[in-house]
Every structure is written in C-alpha cells, then in structure tokens.
Amino acid sequence: MKRLSFIILSFLILAVWGCNTVIIRPWNSPNALKTSEKIRVFLGKAESDLMIKADGVIFVYDVNDLLIKRAYDAVSLDAKKLKAPIRFVADNPGLEYKGRKFRGEILLQPDKSGNILVINRVPLEEYLYSVVPSEVPAGWPTEALKAQAICSRTYAVREILNKKDTAYDVESTVNSQAYAGMTKENPRTTQAVRDTEGVLAVYEDDPIHMFFHSNSGGRTETPDQVWGGKRLPYLESVASRFDEAGDNFVWKEIVNQDKMDQTLSSLGVGSIQSIQVLSRTPSGRVDLLEVIGKQGTSKMKGKEFRNLLGTSVKSLRFGIKRESEGFLIKGMGAGHGVGLSQWGSFGMAKQNFTYAEIIRHYYQGIEFARITR
C-alpha cells in the first residue's frame, strides 16, 4: 500500500515556489507537443529591399534544407523576387530584422497573394522570454510575472494546436501577444518563465482560452458579452478589487463636437446632440447606446462605439454626457475586461498572493499541467 501511494505521488509533479505547494500534473498533448516546440511568429510583410543581420555567420537554406548561401554579418536581397520559402539561421543567437534581434530562425514565406511573410520560428520557452516583459513591466512582483508567463504560454500553446494548417501561429502585436524580440528580454521575467517551464492552465485536459487585459476597472467580463458565442465555465465575471492599484482604474476623456460628429458621421444623424446608454452587461459595461443627432437617431452597440472612438474609450465601463466643451466620457479600466486583469494580478502579488491563487481567481475550476518533455 505504501508503494502504491509512492507511485501515485510520483506521478504528480509537486512544484514548490516560496512556501506554497502547487500540484502540477503531466499534460500529454494530442499532437505530441513538447516544451521544445517552436512557435511561428508573424513579424510583417517583407519589402523589396530586405536585410537580415547577425553577429557572425548567417546561413541561408532553401525549402529542401539545402545551404544556398553563407554570409558574414548581413544578407540583403529583393524579397519580392522570391518564389519559394527560404530561412536564415545564425551561428550566434540573434538575427536582426528591422532593428530588432530575434532568437531562433527567420523564414521568408511567399503566400498566395504574392506577399512575402516574415516569420520568426523560435522555441516556445524562448519566445516567452520576450513576451512576458513585452506584456507587463519586468519590475513587477515575481508572482505576477509567473502568472503572466503561464497565461502567455497557455495562449501560445492553444494557438499552436489550432494553427497547424496556417502560415503562422501568432502575430508579434497585441492582436496576439506583444513580442519585441531579444532586446526586450529581462533577467527577472526570463527567470519567471524558467520557474514555470512548460506549465499550462487546463480545463478538462485542454489548454484554456487564456484571455487577459490591462485593467478590469474592478470587475471582469464574460467572453460571450464581448465576442459572442457560448459561455465558458472557467471565465465567469469576478470582482477584481486590486485593480485600483493600477493605471486607468479611473479615467476621463473629453471628445470635442467636431471629432464626435466626424467619428459618427456614418450613422447619418447629423450633428450629435446627445448620446444615451440604453443597456449594460451584468458587469456594468455598455451594451447598447442611442445616438441622437439633429437629423435623427440611431442605436449602436457599445463595442462598435469604442472601436470608432479608439483610445478615447479605454474600456466599456463608462458613462457619457454632453458638456459645453464636448462630450465627457468617464470610465473604469482598460481593455476588453475578459480573463486575467494584469493590474489586478500586480495588486494581488503585492498582497502576497501566489501565481496559482492569482490565476485561479480569474479562471475558475482550472488545473495546472506541465507539457511533457
């Protein structure tokens, strides 16, 4: 019986950080994904005059992995003339493209539209060395950095599994996750990645939809209210009281009359006289607005209004009224509000919550699992 208990305990990975013990079970990917898996990051579309630099020798390979060129320090070419994929590898880490150095290799991939895609193919964990400090300040508390590392890894793994038949897995912008290459790396965030190596948040053995944002303004949103679709059991709206420690917990903007008229001109209601909130989601975010103009009225969704106004509306937790200077918009939080609030994570870590407690607060009922080597 003792031997059986030992075997069961050995099957579980006990990861001890600080004074807390977190049980992390092995996760076997259905696609045999390993911690050494490489992720394909879209850096942009190549221009005619493309240059790749490195500190040392650069090797260029064709689609059949045959060496077609060896150069020192730099390779330049007219990318528009490419008819087949090629890839660049350096003998020292760090290929430079448009002033940024990247780990791994760089691929030039022609697509069906005649564009040449520039793709950084890099080991998953090394990709995270740049993502975590690109998403949150490296000076944040360690537990918040670990939480972000697990969020970013889980997001990346889900994209890898779902993008097998596409040219790339993620973009280097906030359309996916912010990724700025080696120049953004920091020893503190690199250590957070290493301390959580391979760890994912899973629900019923699947990597979860790991949404995160800057500041929830005190309460998170459910994904169906933002993007439609079905509710996810691990992404209910939760209170996030530690957000008030962060940027944009409360904000206000004034949009002048001319800008508002121009921005909403497609509604065809003439000069805007008033904007009324008709309904809100259960978390307090604007769902439906009525725009009243000199020539008529029109209803529009809150998220459409935010898209049109851009940075003037940092989140949908806002109120609006007309004043002499224009339209006063007062709100709380920044971002879509779904999943982990990064500033909430910061506040919780400052109060000595662990990374596991932080993640379980924002994603209910999840488990932790580690990608097998």
Side-chain angles (χ1 to χ4, degrees):
M1 186 67 181
K2 289 183 178 179
R3 179 175 175 79
L4 177 61
S5 298
F6 176 78
I7 292 171
I8 293 172
L9 286 173
S10 298
F11 177 75
L12 300 173
I13 300 171
L14 299 181
V16 181
W17 290 301
C19 61
N20 295 282
T21 300
V22 181
I23 297 178
I24 304 174
R25 60 180 178 78
W27 181 73
N28 296 305
S29 164
N31 295 81
L33 185 145
K34 305 292 184 183
T35 52
S36 59
E37 180 85 3
K38 292 184 177 180
I39 187 168
R40 300 165 300 164
V41 188
F42 176 59
L43 302 181
K45 295 177 181 177
E47 299 169 355
S48 295
D49 297 323
L50 181 139
M51 180 171 288
I52 301 293
K53 298 180 181 180
D55 296 325
V57 182
I58 303 173
F59 304 93
V60 186
Y61 295 90
D62 68 8
V63 69
N64 296 310
D65 280 339
L66 296 176
L67 181 65
I68 57 176
K69 187 177 181 65
R70 180 188 286 109
Y72 292 91
D73 300 329
V75 175
S76 61
L77 72 157
D78 183 352
K80 296 295 184 181
K81 293 182 179 180
L82 278 180
K83 301 300 180 183
I86 61 173
R87 64 187 180 94
F88 301 84
V89 181
D91 61 347
N92 293 316
L95 284 166
E96 183 178 329
Y97 170 68
K98 287 192 171 181
R100 290 182 174 179
K101 286 187 175 181
F102 298 94
R103 294 177 180 271
E105 56 192 29
I106 289 180
L107 288 74
L108 299 185
Q109 175 78 51
D111 69 6
K112 295 179 180 179
S113 302
N115 297 308
I116 306 298
L117 309 182
V118 183
I119 298 168
N120 180 206
R121 190 166 174 263
V122 59
L124 173 62
E125 296 296 313
E126 295 181 18
Y127 162 73
L128 297 173
Y129 292 168
S130 175
V131 168
V132 176
S134 296
E135 281 287 347
V136 295
W140 276 17
T142 299
E143 294 302 302
L145 301 181
K146 291 179 181 178
Q148 183 63 52
I150 293 172
C151 286
S152 292
R153 183 183 295 106
T154 304
Y155 176 88
V157 167
R158 191 175 181 91
E159 292 299 286
I160 291 171
L161 295 176
N162 290 335
K163 301 288 182 63
K164 291 291 185 182
D165 298 324
T166 61
Y168 53 85
D169 304 308
V170 294
E171 299 182 32
S172 61
T173 69
V174 292
N175 288 338
S176 297
Q177 302 186 100
Y179 172 68
M182 293 177 66
T183 52
K184 192 67 177 180
E185 292 178 15
N186 182 280
R188 295 192 75 246
T189 46
T190 296
Q191 191 60 50
V193 173
R194 290 173 176 167
D195 286 345
T196 62
E197 182 181 357
V199 178
L200 308 172
V202 300
Y203 186 85
E204 296 181 348
D205 213 34
D206 289 326
I208 67 171
H209 290 273
M210 206 78 180
F211 302 115
F212 50 86
H213 59 281
S214 177
N215 192 318
S216 78
R219 176 162 287 277
T220 66
E221 183 60 280
T222 58
D224 56 295
Q225 294 289 351
V226 179
W227 302 294
K230 64 181 181 180
R231 295 284 288 267
L232 296 172
Y234 51 82
L235 271 175
E236 292 297 325
S237 175
V238 298
S240 185
R241 63 188 179 90
F242 292 106
D243 282 334
E244 52 189 73
D247 294 346
N248 294 315
F249 179 70
V250 176
W251 52 268
K252 66 178 181 179
E253 295 281 345
I254 294 177
V255 179
N256 65 44
Q257 184 72 52
D258 289 343
K259 181 179 178 180
M260 189 65 79
D261 288 346
Q262 183 179 4
T263 302
L264 302 182
S265 61
S266 61
L267 298 180
V269 298
S271 182
I272 310 301
Q273 302 301 294
S274 175
I275 299 175
Q276 305 292 331
V277 175
L278 297 182
S279 64
R280 295 181 180 273
T281 69
S283 74
R285 288 168 171 82
V286 174
D287 175 48
L288 189 66
L289 291 163
E290 184 174 45
V291 180
I292 302 168
K294 285 187 175 181
Q295 299 174 13
T297 65
S298 179
K299 294 178 182 178
M300 67 187 308
K301 298 293 287 185
K303 56 188 175 183
E304 181 186 357
F305 179 78
R306 183 180 175 224
N307 287 339
L308 290 174
L309 268 292
T311 57
S312 296
V313 183
K314 294 178 174 60
S315 85
L316 287 175
R317 291 198 87 188
F318 73 86
I320 184 168
K321 67 175 182 177
R322 188 178 182 185
E323 294 190 338
S324 58
E325 299 178 19
F327 291 85
L328 174 64
I329 306 174
K330 296 179 69 175
M332 301 177 70
H336 52 63
V338 179
L340 178 136
S341 165
Q342 290 167 323
W343 275 109
S345 173
F346 168 85
M348 291 181 73
K350 292 284 281 186
Q351 295 297 318
N352 298 317
F353 286 91
T354 67
Y355 79 86
E357 291 170 321
I358 292 168
I359 290 175
R360 284 175 172 149
H361 174 71
Y362 290 104
Y363 311 92
Q364 304 81 45
I366 60 95
E367 296 179 281
F368 294 104
R370 176 176 275 119
I371 304 169
T372 55
R373 292 180 181 274

